[in-house]
Amino acid sequence: AHDVKTVGRLGGGDRDGKMSEIKKKIQSILPGGDWNPLYDTSHLPPESSDVVIVGGGVLGLSVAYWLKKLEKPRGAIRVLVVERDHTYSRASTVLSVGGIRQQFSVPENVQLSLFSIDFLRNINEYLAVADDPPLDIQFNPSGYLLLASEKGAAIMENNVKVQRQEGAKVCLMSPEQLRNKFPWINTEGVALASYGMEHEGWFDPWCLLQGLRRKVQSMGVLFCRGEVTRFMSSSNLMKTASGEEVNLKRIHEVHVKIDQSLEYQPVECAIVINAAGAWSGQVAELAGIGKGPPGTLQGTKLPVELRKRYVYLWHCPQGPGLETPFVIDPSGTYFRREGLGHNYLGGCSPTEEEEPDPGNLEVDHDFFQDRVWPPLAQRVPAFETLKVRSAWAGYYDYNTFDQNGVVGPHPLVINMYFATGFSGHGLQQAPAVGRAVAEMVLEGHFQTINLSSFLFSRFYSGEKVQEHNII
Amino acid sequence: MLKIIIPTAMLMPMTWLSKPNMIWINSTTYSLLISLISLPYLNQLGDNSLNLSLLFFSDSLSAPLLVLTTWLLPLMLMASQSHLSKETLARKKLYITMLIILQLLLIMTFTATELIMFYILFEATLIPTLIIITRWGNQTERLNAGLYFLFYTLMGSLPLLVALLYIQNTTGTLNFLIIQYWAKPISATWSNIFLWLACMMAFMVKMPLYGLHLWLPKAHVEAPIAGSMVLAAVLLKLGGYGMMRITILLNPMTNQMAYPFMMLSLWGMVMTSSICLRQTDLKSLIAYSSVSHMALVIVAVLIQTPWSYMGATALMIAHGLTSSVLFCLANSNYERVHSRTMILARGLQTILPLMAAWWLLASLANLALPPTINLIGELFVVMASFSWSNMTIVLMGTNIIITALYTLYMLTTTQRGKYTHHIKNINPSFTRENALMALHLLPLLLLSLNPKIVLG
């Protein structure tokens, strides 16, 4: 990509620049080059693309991968991924703690995670690119340990039943068994614990992202560094079966504005996929979702917004050893082992009142002192003598409705599909969600995992798909 | 002849002077009237040609092509209305003017007596087509497409100019009517071989022959709808028509010289049909199917028997109408879904049933269903080539099967199956579009009642 353009090249100077321009022109005219006599447009996205994916994080790339993998004739669909920040400095994917678990209470979530872990375990069969080294996703299969107090014990038992039905391998442990297995835990206040024995743990999200990116580029997906600023759509006034009038829209053009420039390129498209993560709400508003009287389908917004979450990295030489799972305390505090040097990652979800301002990614260290450390020290006495090494903050694409993902088409803006709103567990479900969205686009219905309870229409009908006992 | 040429020329000032809301109505109606004027030329008397003047004539080969050309102009105008609706008035008028100029040049080409005049007009038709493709095409690749189109045809036809001038010098005249009687059989010397090649290559590129067909998919995919229609329906036939005229001068050398081109055509026929099976872009599929049908015409013209000529003429007219209607159908899809990929717009039969009927009729015509003239043309060509050499029946048979395969593939992918979610709110078929398809298919079906007209 051409990042630097020599601005204001007056006559006389910059001989080398002129020579390289001439060489470039000659090379493009010779057979094999793309020749455009008007001006150089190699930095712009193509003028038309069948599918435009807004957002190049793990969910967007997963959708791109499965679209190219599931299309019947090879090379049929042209996909364009528009990502505004190629360094992924604020993307939720790479700032994530990277855990994957099947211990959900909604059966679809369990199925999604089961497929995703299968994808991750066989990642070099899925994402193999010729002549490139295999991926090492550094999956630590240490499992998740969810602790429940007296009040939550019954719910936890129910959840484990659902998980076992779907095929997850989870075992319930009493405080006695907990103390035997993990002597560093203080089981005061713990009535029951569920420990995932297989397919749970944590991995390196950056590696997954780069692997997907590399594979997807080899499959022919085009990348563009830009921001979607506008959707041009045409609308039709139609009548539903019950006689009420609805305005169905179809997006036929996406305006992609190039970084650090006023240039924009209108991309003609047939399908738009909203995988913009924490900013999906803003993208949806651009498409006109939610512009209408509240309480109607037209006035239903996409309830995904930015929520800032902190992650702290500390060192504790007397801390728990290699077998430490990803521990989630009933108070909401969590931690996991990081690496082999007695380092640990952890944090806590703030309550609604103490939500930090998502305007920037600054870390609040007092939050650690006040809200994270005390429960940690109480649960693991060894953590009383920990030392915080570093910390960072990342965004959740927080679904304010029921904290579970939105997947599938929008009922009114006919050709916009969603793959967002997973509120903190998007990374671990990304491969499966990508496949589900690709199936929806290509076939018209979910084929492998039925995510019809995750469609957008639940925001209008009010059916929440809520998790019990979740961060 | 002037009674067609002058009104066509006068369409131009009419377009420029019409009121803004009347340009489409005026131009479409008057071009329909002009096509009605050209219909009487189909009434050919026996073997001889209708000699109208020193410059223009029409015989039973050029009359059907003439009628096809004049019939196509109102259809092109109807098809272009939607994608030009957002342009400024001057651009719209310019576009219509380009189409009219192209029409004028094509009418004169098909009725020219003098071969040099034919050549000049043959080259002149390239200019409006190039302008239409590069200015109003859809994507940036259209510049590349225009380049390929222009230079392939020019490279092929410059030797033709030299050859025609040489023949003029030696024979003294290039007037078509005289030269039929004046042509002497030419011997197989080296210079005559080059003369043969020079004469034929221009038309081979235009047809196009399999090895020189690269410009066709590009030009068709990048051109706007009217450009695609006129390219597929008429411009390809210029090649066939020219070949049929010029082979009169080149006897009997054609018997030996034709072999490589026959091989290329026969093999190319099967190859391009097979490529159609793997195409994902709808317009590209129809473009390759054009190459395949035209390869049959090349085979027919090179065999030079009366039956093969009849088959070639019938096939040219039939293919003109069928290809044009398929492009119109593909365009109506594209305007709704904004993508030409076939698998993204499926199950259209449930949403647009009348359009599905037109799709069915057009696909059936494309796969040469009896009793359409497509079948008559193909059948005559197959029979003639069988009598030329028994082995060609294998390739011809394979081609017929594969044509049926890809046509049905195209039909079932776009029409049948469950529709995808994102095409739920496409506009229903406009009357204009239905009229367009009907006006294409009605002549095709009516001709199956009286194919004598197009059999030449």
Side-chain angles (χ1 to χ4, degrees), chain B residues 283-301:
Chain B
K283 259 184 144 179
S284 180
L285 193 150
I286 306 175
Y288 275 106
S289 109
S290 278
V291 180
S292 167
H293 286 276
M294 284 297 111
L296 270 174
V297 176
I298 298 183
V299 167
V301 175

Side-chain angles (χ1 to χ4, degrees), chain A residues 421-456:
Chain A
F422 283 89
S423 319
H425 48 273
L427 173 65
Q428 55 187 281
Q429 295 177 334
V433 170
R435 189 176 62 164
V437 174
E439 284 168 359
M440 194 67 181
V441 169
L442 292 173
E443 308 290 331
H445 53 273
F446 296 115
Q447 275 184 322
T448 43
I449 302 179
N450 187 1
L451 295 178
S452 20
S453 47
F454 281 21
L455 289 173
F456 183 92

Side-chain angles (χ1 to χ4, degrees), chain A residues 150-196:
Chain A
E150 283 286 337
K151 286 183 297 172
I155 305 179
M156 177 172 273
E157 271 197 65
N158 270 340
N159 291 352
V160 170
K161 213 185 313 191
V162 171
Q163 290 151 23
R164 283 205 183 126
Q165 250 175 348
E166 297 297 336
K169 293 199 172 46
V170 189
C171 78
L172 284 167
M173 297 170 85
S174 67
E176 185 67 38
Q177 291 166 321
L178 260 185
R179 279 194 293 272
N180 277 343
K181 190 147 171 74
F182 305 115
W184 39 264
I185 279 196
N186 168 17
T187 54
E188 179 186 333
V190 173
L192 193 60
S194 70
Y195 180 42

